[in-house]
Amino acid sequence: MDIDTLCLCALSFEPATGYDLKRRFEKVYSYFYVAGFGSIYPSLARLAKDGLVDFVATHGPGPRPRKEYRITPQGTAELRKRLATANPVHRVHSDFLLLMLMADQIDPVRVDALIDERMAQIRAQLDALNASRAEKPVARPGVEFVRDMGETMLQAAAVYLKTHRKALVSALEAERDRQTPSS
Amino acid sequence: MDIDTLCLCALSFEPATGYDLKRRFEKVYSYFYVAGFGSIYPSLARLAKDGLVDFVATHGPGPRPRKEYRITPQGTAELRKRLATANPVHRVHSDFLLLMLMADQIDPVRVDALIDERMAQIRAQLDALNASRAEKPVARPGVEFVRDMGETMLQAAAVYLKTHRKALVSALEAERDRQTPSS
DNA sequence: TGGCCCATGTAATCTGTTACATGATTGT
DNA sequence: ACAATCATGTAACAGATTACATGGGCCA
């Protein structure tokens, strides 16, 4: 599933500018997808060229017109077709876990700080999720399913980190002391 | 954190061929990292060129020599340096969740099958994790921490899917019946 | 008046994936 | 005899990230 399909999915909920999409991705979608401007704008241009979306241009701020994109009937049909054949790849790419795996090669103080940072990210994502829940309700069952699953997973991660961080850092400090006894 | 660093991490545990690394990544690392041959072999060649790893070549099967790679002292030093500065990016990239988000645009039967498939993947990863636990214990605390966190997260996902799938599929079927009543 | 938010877009670069090519050994 | 596993590598391609370029409106 490429960015084009992702944009099509997002536009199937409601019209948006490229800028809007970026921020929407940061809210509801941030748990399982990321995309920057450098991907979104070329994607919207491709989709418009293929007639899967169209747009109304107004003269917003800045030198170029503000373009509000909408999905077209062809776009909806094409989206359905893609959703019917896509395969459900799911992958986690975590430098955080790789760092934790290598924790004994890192300063214990930094390991502790890394866990703090990760927990802050998790909290931020949970806040974004709850914020999107407070917005006008969407009558499509997938939204709630995905949102709740995201919340479940994020909370599980938070609980794990909270209850296991001490044991990890203690073990690292004990090992360090064994190698360079301070007394 | 690029593939080079990932290979360096893996080789810090024990020497391996490129082929070994691929399979090791599929075991313990599969929850948070993936890498194919097309990435691993060029990576090992680069690392060897920079003196961060070396290898002993034997004439294994196939036309080319079998190369067992080891991390060098320079490699260990470089790895520590990279671990000391890397930032803990963590991202999930899930077509599965995107498909679930769009569930109302997909045949309910397929939605059900997609969840089955995802649960099978989760079970396979849990099995791989448990298999790696049964192997000779590693005296580095990060390994247990990461393995247990992976297990926790995978189990949370499995439980969520098991308990919420019915509600999603029922809602989809109800909606479909509302639009095209069969009686 | 300085910085942030809105808003769009391009170009260079980086990185990884896929497909291909090769071929011996081991198990059924 | 056939398939699977072991084992290494290259080349073409696809995809995304980063940096750059532009500039009005709003708030402190």
Side-chain angles (χ1 to χ4, degrees), chain A residues 23-173:
Chain A
R23 284 188 315 167
R24 213 186 292 172
F25 291 154
E26 280 163 3
K27 268 204 190 104
V28 209
Y29 300 23
S30 76
Y31 172 62
F32 63 92
Y33 244 115
V34 281
F37 290 130
S39 310
I40 293 169
Y41 286 118
S43 171
L44 289 171
R46 273 193 302 273
L47 291 169
K49 196 194 64 189
D50 297 343
L52 304 180
V53 302
D54 58 17
F55 57 86
V56 262
T58 56
H59 54 289
R64 290 189 196 77
R66 176 180 187 279
K67 295 179 181 172
E68 181 135 283
Y69 288 89
R70 288 175 316 181
I71 193 166
T72 61
Q74 299 100 289
T76 305
E78 174 64 24
L79 178 56
R80 282 220 185 91
K81 214 173 77 186
R82 292 190 195 178
L83 293 172
T85 54
N87 67 325
V89 180
H90 176 99
R91 57 136 107 31
V92 180
H93 184 285
S94 179
D95 289 354
F96 170 72
L97 284 170
L98 187 56
L99 285 166
M100 291 302 108
L101 187 77
M102 307 299 292
D104 61 312
Q105 300 295 310
I106 305 175
D107 177 8
V109 175
R110 176 165 149 81
V111 171
D112 213 58
L114 287 169
I115 295 173
D116 277 336
E117 195 179 330
R118 179 78 195 112
M119 288 183 86
Q121 286 168 5
I122 290 169
R123 236 171 281 126
Q125 286 194 313
L126 279 169
D127 289 346
L129 231 57
N130 282 321
S132 85
R133 220 185 241 114
E135 284 168 20
K136 67 173 191 299
V138 183
R140 287 167 61 174
V143 177
E144 204 196 348
F145 183 85
V146 169
R147 209 142 56 180
D148 288 353
M149 183 158 191
E151 192 181 18
T152 300
M153 299 305 291
L154 289 169
Q155 269 167 359
V159 168
Y160 182 87
L161 291 177
K162 200 175 175 184
T163 56
H164 290 78
R165 62 184 302 177
K166 215 164 194 170
L168 176 66
V169 176
S170 300
L172 295 175
E173 279 166 350

Side-chain angles (χ1 to χ4, degrees), chain B residues 124-135:
Chain B
Q125 287 194 314
L126 279 169
D127 288 347
L129 231 56
N130 282 321
S132 85
R133 221 185 238 113
E135 285 169 19

Side-chain angles (χ1 to χ4, degrees), chain A residues 104 173-182:
Chain A
D104 61 312
E173 279 166 350
E175 186 132 337
R176 189 195 50 187
D177 292 347
R178 216 178 307 139
Q179 278 164 12
T180 58
S182 51

